[in-house]
Amino acid sequence: EYMGRTFWWCSMRASVVCHRRVPFGVLSPPRHVPAHIVHPSYQNIPRNAWLSDETNKIEIIPKMRQLGKLAKEVLDIAGKSIAPNQSTDDIDRIVHEACIARNAYPSPLNYHGFPKSCCTSVNEVICHGIPATNTFLSEGDTINVDITLFKDGVHCDCSAMFGVGTISPTHQRLCDVTKFALESAIKQCRVGVEYSQIGAIIDAIARENGYFVIKEFCGHGIGRYFHMLPQIIHFNNDYDMGVMQIGDTFTIEPILGTQDEFLTWSDGWTVVTRDGSRTAQFEHTILITEDGAEVLTE
């Protein structure tokens, strides 16, 4: 999720035209969600607002565990479908239908106007790529599929990178290091650990391997709301986001690349690298327990 604090600065520094392969999207008609599936209410929640949930976190843990399994199922279904010549709109259809089959609402759909049921970010698209009928996958592409489900009053979020056919060793290494950074950060999560430590771990791994963390996008608390406090910063920082407590649920979702400058398309969502280089992102929803960190989406 976009941190929001430096939007004006990021837009100005990223004003150079990107050399992009991914075309501006042509969208299919809106997908239908049956009336029997409960829709989340995004009304009166400003975009980039950081909410907090002061109600009992413990009581939603069983729901989060169940939903985490469903979210992983949907992500796996999407991943297995990926092939050359497939459109990202087709991936969105598959995700949408898999959510509905599980009596879950695809959280991205209509979230502050987002028009589709998942994000599909191909090659130079850093994040928030909108599935489109004219974006087709080719051999050697990399794509991040980001899905979130809403059911029984809670949300659960995950994403992963997928290669289309055989990808280059350079792009495979970027994906591998990003996944390792996420996994390393999760291993350090436990009661009493400062949230700022997540960024220190990820940043160190990125730098050791010659990559940058895309700083402007962060993880977030999740549960009754799609995005809420704390912000999970993925770079080395001293922000006071508090310490982890039993029952906390949040995402860690680092984005790594070979440079860190970007621009946002006129659709208001799609974020691409300034120079057309690729990035990688992996994401899990985490629950803090007495024993440490439980990954809800694996």
Side-chain angles (χ1 to χ4, degrees):
E1 179 63 10
Y2 187 69
M3 288 171 60
R5 286 195 292 260
T6 54
F7 182 76
W8 63 272
W9 173 70
C10 300
S11 296
M12 290 177 65
R13 78 168 177 157
S15 60
V16 176
V17 175
C18 172
H19 304 290
R20 61 181 173 83
R21 184 194 69 80
V22 177
F24 288 109
V26 175
L27 305 188
S28 61
R31 304 195 193 280
H32 175 67
V33 178
H36 73 271
I37 294 178
V38 177
H39 294 42
S41 176
Y42 299 135
Q43 193 173 18
N44 300 323
I45 300 177
R47 188 174 176 183
N48 295 326
W50 290 95
L51 305 175
S52 59
D53 184 4
E54 303 300 333
T55 58
N56 189 338
K57 295 180 290 186
I58 303 302
E59 67 182 20
I60 69 170
I61 289 176
K63 297 178 180 179
M64 293 291 291
R65 284 189 170 122
Q66 180 184 22
L67 192 57
K69 293 177 181 178
L70 297 182
K72 180 59 164 59
E73 288 178 9
V74 173
L75 183 61
D76 285 346
I77 290 169
K80 289 175 182 176
S81 77
I82 289 172
N85 301 317
Q86 182 185 31
S87 73
T88 53
D89 183 72
D90 188 51
I91 297 171
D92 183 74
R93 176 189 59 79
I94 290 167
V95 167
H96 185 90
E97 292 175 354
C99 291
I100 300 307
R102 289 158 177 78
N103 289 311
Y105 184 95
S107 300
L109 184 62
N110 297 320
Y111 180 72
H112 298 301
F114 191 84
K116 292 297 174 180
S117 296
C118 66
C119 296
T120 52
S121 302
V122 181
N123 293 346
E124 71 270 18
V125 179
I126 295 173
C127 59
H128 303 160
I130 300 175
T133 60
N134 62 328
T135 300
F136 292 92
L137 301 179
S138 300
E139 180 81 17
D141 284 349
T142 51
I143 177 173
N144 176 274
V145 180
D146 191 340
I147 66 104
T148 309
L149 273 60
F150 175 78
K151 186 177 182 180
D152 295 330
V154 297
H155 300 266
C156 207
D157 194 357
C158 58
S159 83
M161 298 298 298
F162 301 96
V164 182
T166 302
I167 65 174
S168 73
T170 297
H171 297 139
Q172 185 63 59
R173 180 176 181 271
L174 174 59
C175 292
D176 290 345
V177 171
T178 305
K179 186 176 183 182
F180 176 71
L182 168 61
E183 293 170 344
S184 299
I186 291 172
K187 289 178 181 178
Q188 299 304 313
C189 293
R190 62 181 64 85
V191 174
V193 172
E194 294 183 356
Y195 277 105
S196 61
Q197 291 303 303
I198 292 173
I201 295 165
I202 292 170
D203 204 348
I205 291 171
R207 290 174 182 273
E208 288 169 4
N209 287 277
Y211 298 124
F212 292 91
V213 175
I214 310 300
K215 294 182 177 180
E216 286 79 4
F217 300 93
C218 62
H220 51 89
I222 190 169
R224 290 184 176 90
Y225 300 112
F226 191 172
H227 298 104
M228 60 185 187
L229 294 172
Q231 291 182 339
I232 308 301
I233 310 302
H234 299 123
F235 57 91
N236 194 29
N237 70 92
D238 59 1
Y239 298 145
D240 183 9
M241 293 295 171
V243 300
M244 300 174 196
Q245 301 177 19
I246 292 176
D248 285 359
T249 49
F250 55 92
T251 72
I252 306 177
E253 45 186 297
I255 307 174
L256 272 57
T258 56
Q259 60 90 49
D260 62 353
E261 294 189 342
F262 66 89
L263 61 85
T264 302
W265 285 2
S266 58
D267 61 22
W269 289 101
T270 308
V271 181
V272 296
T273 56
R274 174 178 168 178
D275 64 356
S277 60
R278 298 191 192 187
T279 59
Q281 179 181 34
F282 287 86
E283 174 183 15
H284 277 306
T285 294
I286 311 301
L287 164 68
I288 297 300
T289 71
E290 293 179 351
D291 300 321
E294 178 180 339
V295 181
L296 299 180
T297 48
E298 70 174 4

